[in-house]
Amino acid sequence: MNPARALHLPAYLGFFSGQFRKMLAYRTRYVTGIVSYLVYVTTYYYLWRAVFSHRAAGAEVAGYTLDQMVTYVAISWIARSAYFNNVDREIAEQVQNGSIAVALSRPVSLQGTVVAAALGEGLFRFCFFTLPIGAVILLLFPVGAPASPLHAAAFLVSCALSQVILTHVNFLVGMCAFPLKNIDGVMRMKHYLIEILSGLLLPVALFPGWLQALSSWLPFQAIAYVPSSLWLGHLRGPAPAGGPLAWLAAEPGQLVARALLVQLLWVAFLAVLSNLVWRRAARRLVVQGG
Amino acid sequence: MPAVVVDNLVKEFRRFQRREGLAGAVKDLFRRDYQALRAVDGVSFSIERGERIGYIGPNGAGKSTTIKMLTGILTPTSGEIAALGLSPHRQRKQYVRRIGVVFGQRTQLWWDLAVVESLKLLLQIYEVPRAEGEARLAKLRELLALDEFLHTPVRKLSLGQRMRADLAASLLHGPELLFLDEPTIGLDLVAKDAIRALLKRVNDELGTTILLTTHDLRDIEALAQRVMVIDGGKIVYDGSLEQLRDEAGEEASAEIELLEPASLEELRRLLPQVRFAQDNPLRLRAQFSKRELPAAQLLARLVGSLKVADIALPEPSIEEVIRRIYEKTGKSAMVAAKAAGGGAAAASR
């Protein structure tokens, strides 16, 4: 049997394409989002300018020059505009209003459906959100080019992996809605955890040593820190080079491979964990309403 | 072999019992009491291929919970379901490929996409071979008269149109079983009639076995060859509609209009088997059992002793029939079951 058929890829492609088209119906909603991303990048741009203002030209903070720091911030936010999603909130809503029943009446796994739809959303965001945001930010701020074509290619792959990692983190948070029903608090906690520990607001290399060590064993740094570091070619330092694969290699090509491998391992781990959690949740499922 | 066999099905939910007052709220923080609720309490039945079954009961009787277990969405607490030779919750993906599900209050279509786009996505999701899918879509377009809104986004459809589109969505993959949970809820009378007629055609022409829950007993009258009544999580009636009527039909009522007032005491002495009630001095209602007193005899006695203007013997409505069944079983709404073994229901965690 054809392996694509055996995995029901055409079915999941349906959810991918359905979500893409659904987002397309709401594309004007994203115009305002461009402004908020611009505000974030502007804020952090001036913040880092202020931090570096009393230092000599070319000085480094935790291994970053001002130019690199500005690039890191801009690229991190541009990447976020593509990989971000609200899978957790969507699952919680479906559990709360009972429409989860419809999702379960389909001959596919909920997890696969959620991931496929999130990827469809990712493609939409990339085309209609990231490209305009990226163009505006690149025009307004002195963003450095990727370290090399290899790093540029690795960055794109890495963003896609970030998306799958975040989707699974959100899926797991969404699963909390089965026992808890209301997960606003959990979602808010996750939001701040990700903002900080992913390295979106601050490169992980600036964290105190113990937090760097801790975050190299958590999936969050694989969401923002890894792709942005790939763009910069900034793969030395403890994380993401530390953690599970710290023993592996030191050449640039190998460092790139290692960064992607770290992400892949997180994808695999979170996918398996999500599956286990879902199986447990399904057994205890209570569908609300008529 | 029956299409569905349900054996001693039970679904228990746990409900957190809040204590009263501030002291109770503090106590709740440390020790939670749960009450076990048996939404479905030992239900057994079987369904033959091609049947049209109405599944009715008051709110909270366990209808939707049963349907959700039959469609593989909920895991039973105990008991077995064998549907199309599969176990719905254990072999969910394999099973739902062969059934259709309609939830009256939710849509399975993409809210923002045109109907035809949603339907084509569903063909893809169910991996229906192209030629087969197109043929079935053409058939359903004709059967459900979809063409007038085929290119309209689902959010802009009227409720009746949406239900037709949802019905199409549930039939696209050629299911052998079709489960409908409140398919006519919220529809106007014309749309209800249309949906009933369509379901009948689906059953006749496609041979699809249909089980539907409803609050609207006219759905049952128009559609069901067989009725199952659930109350308090238990099946209290399972049989044909006619038999249901006959059974309850022993209880009859008469409406009597008089030319001259009559005294109730006198009537009660004359016909002690009959329960009389007086709307006004010239209007009486009588309730009686046909077994104890044939209607003809009642009429003769009344006409013989009173000045009667008119007597009507209305057929009991199905609502009335169902109400009597509920009264007979002496239960309604969800019954709090004692935890297994009959001990205290409280459990702490």
Side-chain angles (χ1 to χ4, degrees), chain B residues 231-242:
Chain B
D231 193 23
K234 291 187 155 77
I235 300 271
V236 295
Y237 177 83
D238 182 355
S240 72
L241 188 59
E242 294 76 43

Side-chain angles (χ1 to χ4, degrees), chain B residues 62-307:
Chain B
K63 298 187 300 282
S64 287
T65 306
T66 313
I67 286 250
K68 278 167 189 144
M69 287 191 279
L70 284 172
T71 51
I73 291 166
L74 290 182
T75 308
T77 306
S78 67
E80 280 302 320
I81 305 175
L84 306 173
L86 300 169
S87 161
H89 69 281
R90 287 193 203 99
Q91 293 157 293
R92 184 181 68 82
K93 282 185 264 182
Q94 200 184 339
Y95 172 66
V96 296
R97 206 173 276 286
R98 294 170 58 191
I99 66 166
V101 187
V102 174
F103 296 104
Q105 315 201 50
R106 332 189 181 285
T107 181
Q108 52 173 322
L109 303 162
W110 279 258
W111 201 239
D112 307 292
L113 302 191
V115 173
V116 65
E117 278 192 86
S118 277
L119 295 180
K120 287 196 167 156
L121 278 171
L122 283 168
L123 282 176
Q124 194 179 341
I125 284 162
Y126 281 88
E127 298 170 281
V128 181
R130 188 175 295 269
E132 190 187 325
E134 270 167 21
R136 205 169 286 131
L137 183 55
K139 170 90 179 156
L140 289 170
R141 273 166 62 175
E142 182 259 321
L143 194 66
L144 300 168
L146 301 178
D147 284 356
E148 49 174 309
F149 52 83
L150 205 54
H151 296 281
T152 311
V154 173
R155 72 186 129 84
K156 291 192 177 154
L157 299 183
S158 73
L159 201 53
Q161 290 174 330
R162 208 217 75 204
M163 188 48 64
R164 268 143 71 196
D166 256 308
L167 211 49
S170 69
L171 293 168
L172 268 176
H173 51 285
E176 295 155 65
L177 293 172
L178 180 60
F179 296 97
L180 304 109
D181 197 3
E182 310 267 359
T184 57
I185 198 160
L187 300 183
D188 63 40
L189 288 176
V190 179
K192 276 185 180 181
D193 275 342
I195 292 293
R196 288 171 195 145
L198 291 171
L199 284 174
K200 215 165 176 175
R201 279 189 72 185
V202 164
N203 174 258
D204 287 343
E205 293 179 27
L206 307 177
T208 315
T209 308
I210 292 178
L211 178 79
L212 71 118
T213 73
T214 182
H215 269 109
D216 189 334
L217 295 157
R218 263 152 305 198
D219 288 348
I220 302 287
E221 287 181 311
L223 268 175
Q225 306 149 325
R226 174 178 161 197
V227 187
M228 294 195 291
V229 183
I230 185 169
D231 193 23
K234 291 187 155 77
I235 300 271
V236 295
Y237 177 83
D238 182 355
S240 72
L241 188 59
E242 294 76 43
Q243 196 191 331
L244 177 67
R245 242 198 253 279
D246 287 351
E247 235 168 70
E250 286 179 2
E251 278 290 303
S253 62
E255 289 165 9
I256 306 141
E257 279 187 48
L258 301 172
L259 292 170
E260 280 171 15
S263 97
L264 272 181
E265 288 80 60
E266 201 177 316
L267 280 170
R268 281 175 186 147
R269 215 171 27 244
L270 184 71
L271 290 160
Q273 318 88 313
V274 180
R275 294 180 300 285
F276 284 103
Q278 205 161 22
D279 291 340
N280 63 51
L282 293 177
R283 250 189 100 85
L284 298 173
R285 275 178 294 117
Q287 287 199 307
F288 60 101
S289 159
K290 282 183 188 168
R291 206 166 8 159
E292 291 173 13
L293 181 71
Q297 215 173 324
L298 174 80
L299 295 185
R301 302 283 276 281
L302 286 173
V303 173
S305 50
L306 301 169
K307 286 209 179 263

